[in-house]
Amino acid sequence: MARAPLRQSRANRFSALRRAAGSALAAFRRERARDTPTPVELAPAPRPWLRALALIGVTVLGAWLGLLTVGNVHKPVGPMDTTMTLRPSVSGGTKINIAPLGALALESHHAPLRLDVDVTRLDPDKAERLVANPSQFSGLQDEVTHDVQSGTRDLALRSAAAVVCGATALGLVVYRRPRRALLAGGLALSLLAASGAAAAVTWNPKAVLEPKFSGLLAGAPSLVGDARNIVTDFDTYQQELARLVTNVTKLYEAASTLPTYQPDPNTTRVLHVSDIHLNPAAWRIIESLVEQYEIDAVIDTGDTMDHGTSAENAFLDAASDLGAPFVWVRGNHDSGVTQDYLEKRDNVYVLDDGEPVDVAGLRIAGLGDPSFTPDRSAEAGGDEEQEAAGRRLAAALRTSKIRGKPVDIAAAHNPVLAEQADGEVPLALAGHTHNRSQRTLDGGTRLMIEGSTGGSGLRAVEQDEPDNVSASVLYLDQETRTLQAWDEITLGGLGLTTAEVSRRLPPG
């Protein structure tokens, strides 16, 4: 009888263990089921068109990086050294950059690629021979044609290698599969070939007759001749390209002996203008110079107006939109009405009473001209009045220096007034004479007098030959704020058909 309860107890324990094991196994299966993603939780496979778009994006980006890195050729074209590059573009065309004169754009073709030609250097020996012996220009057409054809061929081969390598390399980085990478390279080559075919189909050899100028070349269409006087035929492009190279050669010939000073990228660049005298063309010239030279500030030493009346004030609206701060001091043709109007304009700083302003990292102070020439009821004070005003400016400059905030540039309209700042400031700017000059005063101050940026105003048309338009770009060290060099820019009167840039360095 004792063994029966024992057997029953063992059976109960075995049953309990079996139930526990079953419960554990069921819990394990439930936990495993939770960790296993259901078909609904699985990420859907990418759609084929998304994969294709991604491949195209990688191909285009890789091809573009390849063109930027190695897709250019250096090739002489006549007497000029050029760099030819293909760039992605929406509208296509050709852009010829002729630094520092500007650029011209040609609608030569419609394709997703633009041809950039940068004129990097003029061979002074070739240019001198051409200018000294004009008869040699007769053979320039064939030379230019051959050079352009050779450069285009080399650029096509180099660009093909660049886009294939760029797209293949980026495809390998992104996909890590050689097959996909090679597919990207092949696609890049196909896209380049298609773009080249589109350019060939839409090629317009007469585009050089209708260029779009920018920079200092704006307003100088004589660079490529007058299209109305040209008999157009199948050789038009070659003929006019030779004419372009010829005229650019003449422009560069004078600049080939410029000093070798290269302004540091961190140099502060100031554009000095003066005596605009209501010439609306001056604003366009200033805008071009601001863009071309990456100007940090424009300083106008007065006589922006002619009579100083309120009716002329609308002419001043452009001063707010030049692309750089506009610093202005009153001239003898500018009135109090003129000054009040400019003080309300955005991005304009008016100098007067020697109060300094901080612009582009420079401290600039000035004093308006004490005379107002259009007012015939007032008697002009002459040099004595200018000297007295200059002494007030010098006193204000000394005060700033005592306070530990010395002024870097003093500005006045009349040079007689500006001369009184000698010894109180390293650089003084003036205008008034309509003749550019510069000299170092006894106290060490360099006085720079600008000519007329307005070509003496609209009255210049009354003369047989209009006055030149002049402006200067000043390069100042960003830390010491001292003058390092300056470019004297001269344009040929109201016609703006000539451009001359002369680099000057301080003596010593």
Side-chain angles (χ1 to χ4, degrees):
M1 297 297 295
R3 291 182 178 177
L6 181 60
R7 285 195 298 267
Q8 185 176 3
S9 175
R10 289 177 178 173
N12 290 339
R13 287 198 297 271
F14 179 76
S15 179
L17 288 172
R18 187 171 60 184
R19 287 195 300 270
S23 299
L25 181 59
F28 174 75
R29 288 173 176 172
R30 288 194 299 269
E31 187 68 26
R32 186 176 180 183
R34 281 196 297 268
D35 293 340
T36 303
T38 64
V40 177
E41 294 172 331
L42 290 175
R47 297 178 181 178
W49 63 272
L50 287 178
R51 290 199 300 267
L53 285 179
L55 179 62
I56 293 174
V58 170
T59 300
V60 172
L61 179 59
W64 178 63
L65 293 175
L67 284 176
L68 287 180
T69 306
V70 295
N72 57 68
V73 296
H74 303 284
K75 199 72 177 178
V77 176
M80 300 183 297
D81 291 340
T82 68
T83 299
M84 300 182 181
T85 312
L86 287 179
R87 299 289 189 207
S89 172
V90 176
S91 57
T94 300
K95 184 177 182 182
I96 303 176
N97 300 298
I98 310 171
L101 302 175
L104 64 153
L106 310 175
E107 294 184 2
S108 56
H109 62 276
H110 297 284
L113 287 176
R114 185 187 74 202
L115 173 62
D116 283 2
V117 181
D118 296 323
V119 178
T120 56
R121 177 180 172 271
L122 179 77
D123 188 319
D125 295 332
K126 289 184 179 180
E128 185 176 352
R129 288 196 297 268
L130 285 171
V131 175
N133 187 7
S135 62
Q136 295 188 15
F137 282 123
S138 59
L140 184 61
Q141 176 181 331
D142 293 336
E143 180 182 354
V144 169
T145 301
H146 176 270
D147 292 342
V148 171
Q149 290 175 346
S150 175
T152 304
R153 182 175 57 253
D154 293 348
L155 179 61
L157 295 175
R158 191 177 185 91
S159 298
V163 299
V164 170
C165 293
T168 303
L170 186 60
L172 193 60
V173 171
V174 173
Y175 295 110
R176 301 181 183 276
R177 296 179 182 178
R179 186 175 179 180
R180 279 288 178 88
L182 292 175
L183 181 59
L187 181 59
L189 184 59
S190 299
L191 291 176
L192 180 64
S195 299
V201 170
T202 60
W203 178 251
N204 177 20
K206 299 180 182 179
V208 75
L209 299 178
E210 298 177 350
K212 295 181 180 179
F213 294 88
S214 61
L216 288 177
L217 297 181
S222 59
L223 189 65
V224 291
D226 190 341
R228 292 171 298 182
N229 298 327
I230 296 172
V231 178
T232 57
D233 53 25
F234 69 96
D235 286 330
T236 295
Y237 185 76
Q238 297 176 1
Q239 292 172 352
E240 290 311 303
L241 186 59
R243 186 193 296 267
L244 169 65
V245 172
T246 300
N247 290 336
V248 171
T249 299
K250 293 179 180 178
L251 288 174
Y252 264 83
E253 193 273 334
S256 61
T257 57
L258 291 178
T260 57
Y261 168 77
Q262 295 294 331
D264 187 89
N266 295 323
T267 298
T268 301
R269 305 181 183 204
V270 174
L271 178 63
H272 181 199
V273 302
S274 191
D275 296 86
I276 292 175
H277 285 290
L278 281 181
N279 185 351
W283 296 125
R284 184 185 62 183
I285 295 168
I286 294 173
E287 287 177 358
S288 296
L289 292 172
V290 167
E291 179 180 1
Q292 187 72 24
Y293 284 85
E294 299 179 357
I295 296 297
D296 298 301
V298 179
I299 300 180
D300 183 351
T301 47
D303 271 9
T304 311
M305 311 296 260
D306 236 343
H307 302 91
T309 63
S310 58
E312 297 170 325
N313 282 346
F315 174 78
L316 301 169
D317 291 347
S320 299
D321 302 312
L322 297 175
F326 184 73
V327 183
W328 180 85
V329 66
R330 189 178 68 249
N332 61 291
H333 280 263
D334 307 315
S335 66
V337 173
T338 303
Q339 181 162 319
D340 291 341
Y341 188 82
L342 271 174
E343 286 176 340
K344 300 174 184 177
R345 303 297 304 171
D346 294 332
N347 209 33
V348 173
Y349 298 82
V350 173
L351 305 176
D352 207 357
D353 300 323
E355 289 293 329
V357 298
D358 294 316
V359 180
L362 300 170
R363 289 182 65 79
I364 309 170
L367 192 144
D369 199 290
S371 63
F372 181 50
T373 306
D375 185 5
R376 302 301 182 183
S377 64
E379 184 177 352
D383 286 351
E384 293 80 9
E385 185 180 35
Q386 297 290 335
E387 291 171 355
R391 288 192 290 271
R392 294 200 304 272
L393 175 59
L397 297 175
R398 281 193 294 271
T399 301
S400 295
K401 190 183 300 184
I402 293 172
R403 291 175 178 173
K405 296 182 178 180
V407 172
D408 305 308
I409 300 176
H413 178 65
N414 196 309
V416 176
L417 193 160
E419 287 173 356
Q420 310 310 308
D422 185 22
E424 306 298 339
V425 68
L427 178 62
L429 305 180
H432 185 61
T433 64
H434 293 204
N435 288 303
R436 179 193 285 131
S437 65
Q438 64 84 28
R439 64 183 186 274
T440 301
L441 304 177
D442 294 339
T445 295
R446 181 175 297 279
L447 174 62
M448 305 189 75
I449 304 171
E450 189 53 62
S452 174
T453 310
S456 299
L458 297 180
R459 67 171 67 91
V461 299
E462 300 172 0
Q463 307 175 26
D464 293 336
E465 294 185 7
D467 289 347
N468 288 333
V469 172
S470 66
S472 297
V473 177
L474 315 180
Y475 302 97
L476 295 99
D477 185 272
Q478 206 168 61
E479 294 183 1
T480 64
R481 296 179 293 281
T482 56
L483 184 67
Q484 296 177 316
W486 68 94
D487 287 342
E488 295 179 349
I489 301 166
T490 305
L491 305 180
L494 293 178
L496 306 181
T497 56
T498 61
E500 178 182 315
V501 181
S502 300
R503 172 64 51 79
R504 306 294 184 187
L505 301 176

